[in-house]
Amino acid sequence: MRFFLFIMMPVWLTACNAPSRDFRGVAAQQVTVDGSVFDVRVRGERAEAMRVNAQYAPRFGPIRVRAGRAMALASGCDVKEVLGDQALALGVLDCD
């Protein structure tokens, strides 16, 4: 049983950083904003920012601002809205 867990643990951990369904196949750009590290994926007028670093008890308010800045840096667009939680934020972009 231990051997099975030892072999399967890396497989389970790789799923922790997998993009959501709408952003599969989109390459991530890693962006750091004020100590938060995000994998940002952009598709059309939407962006996904997945926080990939460990932070103790982050609140979404500060993370939302950082995720929005990360999306803006990765896309070159303004960010209209950011929704989500401390781990995964979705943004609506204004690229006009």
Side-chain angles (χ1 to χ4, degrees), residues 7 9 23 25 29 36 42 45 48 50 52 55-56 63 87 89:
I7 296 297
M9 187 62 72
F23 291 91
Q29 180 179 353
S36 294
V42 178
E45 297 272 324
E48 173 183 81
M50 181 181 305
V52 294
Q55 290 181 278
Y56 177 73
I63 297 296

Side-chain angles (χ1 to χ4, degrees), residues 17-18 22 29 38 58 60 65 75-76 90 96:
N17 195 16
D22 293 340
Q29 180 179 353
F38 299 94
F60 187 54
V65 173
S75 67
L90 300 172
D96 295 331

